[in-house]
Amino acid sequence: MIMKFIQAIVKGICYILVKIMYRVEIEGIENIPKNEGVILCGNHIHALDAPVLIVKSKKEICFMAKEELFKNPIFKMMANMYGVFPVSRGRKDTDAIRKSLEILKQNRILGIYPEGTRNGIEKGIKPKNGAVNIAIRTNTKIVPFGVKGNFKLFSKVKYTFGKPMDLSGYKGNSHDKEVIDILTNELMAKIVELRDKNEKINIAIDKE
């Protein structure tokens, strides 16, 4: 009870700070299914893109974060308070997978960055297929989202959520690497499209 109170106070303070420092806009939030477990997958552009979304969200989002970050005691304390859990990027992390399955079984929201690192798309890094694998194993929808902004003080940051990806038709293919890779690439294409959505609209307007 005391911990819940502390969480609410800290989140409230963070919410005010985020509101002052950034002009955060969220579009398509209605695409996140209610009353069922779901996986959110987006592009990773800054260390703050997950924390800002956690603060702005009315529902708890349990994000995976690289285990190296948990060496920082302050980060570890905040992570434990808000459901963020570690994942090893260099091996198959059974503990992280088990935690993910537990979150979805409880009809909560799991957050995963398929890039595995910041700006992985631009760096040409092959996206991780864990999100798609978990979605197929648990018959869970994936909601892609794109983040646009640079997180400079007082700048605009926009999160755009797309329609859920229903992978129930691929049940039984969780060990088929070719299928998983194809679906992961489709997921990343949706994320990039959502990230660049408003930019494309602005370009079209400028041309007119």
Side-chain angles (χ1 to χ4, degrees):
M1 189 69 178
I2 295 176
M3 182 54 69
K4 289 287 184 182
F5 178 73
I6 294 174
Q7 287 176 340
I9 293 296
V10 173
K11 188 172 183 178
I13 293 171
C14 291
Y15 180 88
I16 293 170
L17 289 175
V18 166
K19 195 171 181 64
I20 292 171
M21 293 189 295
Y22 305 109
R23 293 184 293 121
V24 179
E25 186 177 338
I26 298 179
E27 180 182 319
I29 195 73
E30 68 278 1
N31 289 321
I32 301 177
K34 297 178 180 178
N35 305 317
E36 63 180 87
V38 65
I39 303 173
L40 300 185
C41 289
N43 58 308
H44 192 17
I45 61 174
H46 195 277
L48 289 175
D49 50 31
V52 168
L53 188 56
I54 289 172
V55 168
K56 293 289 290 184
S57 175
K58 293 181 180 179
K59 292 189 69 175
E60 181 186 28
I61 305 173
C62 302
F63 270 100
M64 281 187 181
K66 61 181 182 180
E67 61 181 356
E68 293 86 351
L69 293 174
F70 287 77
K71 293 177 181 178
N72 182 313
I74 296 176
F75 177 88
K76 185 176 181 179
M77 179 188 70
M78 295 294 289
N80 291 335
M81 192 178 292
Y82 293 103
V84 180
F85 62 100
V87 60
S88 172
R89 297 182 296 176
R91 60 180 175 82
K92 185 177 180 180
D93 192 333
T94 54
D95 288 337
I97 294 173
R98 191 180 300 112
K99 179 66 176 176
S100 299
L101 299 180
E102 178 187 323
I103 290 167
L104 295 172
K105 188 176 180 180
Q106 295 170 349
N107 292 329
R108 297 160 70 196
I109 301 176
L110 172 65
I112 298 178
Y113 288 112
E115 291 171 285
T117 187
R118 274 179 269 174
N119 300 308
I121 297 171
E122 284 72 17
K123 295 174 183 176
I125 297 174
K126 182 180 177 181
K128 312 297 181 185
N129 56 25
V132 167
N133 199 308
I134 292 172
I136 292 175
R137 286 180 60 181
T138 59
N139 194 27
T140 301
K141 295 182 180 70
I142 297 178
V143 175
F145 69 91
V147 187
K148 193 74 178 178
N150 54 28
F151 286 88
K152 290 182 179 179
L153 286 178
F154 313 117
S155 65
K156 181 179 177 180
V157 178
K158 183 161 186 176
Y159 296 81
T160 305
F161 292 88
K163 298 291 184 182
M165 289 179 66
D166 187 348
L167 305 182
S168 57
Y170 296 93
K171 189 176 181 180
N173 292 105
S174 61
H175 297 293
D176 190 325
K177 189 177 184 305
E178 185 177 353
V179 171
I180 297 296
D181 284 345
I182 290 172
L183 292 173
T184 298
N185 288 333
E186 288 181 9
L187 170 61
M188 291 308 303
K190 289 178 183 293
I191 290 171
V192 171
E193 182 181 351
L194 290 165
R195 179 197 66 180
D196 297 340
K197 177 183 176 184
N198 297 296
E199 184 176 289
K200 290 178 181 177
I201 290 174
N202 290 335
I203 291 174
I205 291 173
D206 289 342
K207 286 182 178 179
E208 290 176 0

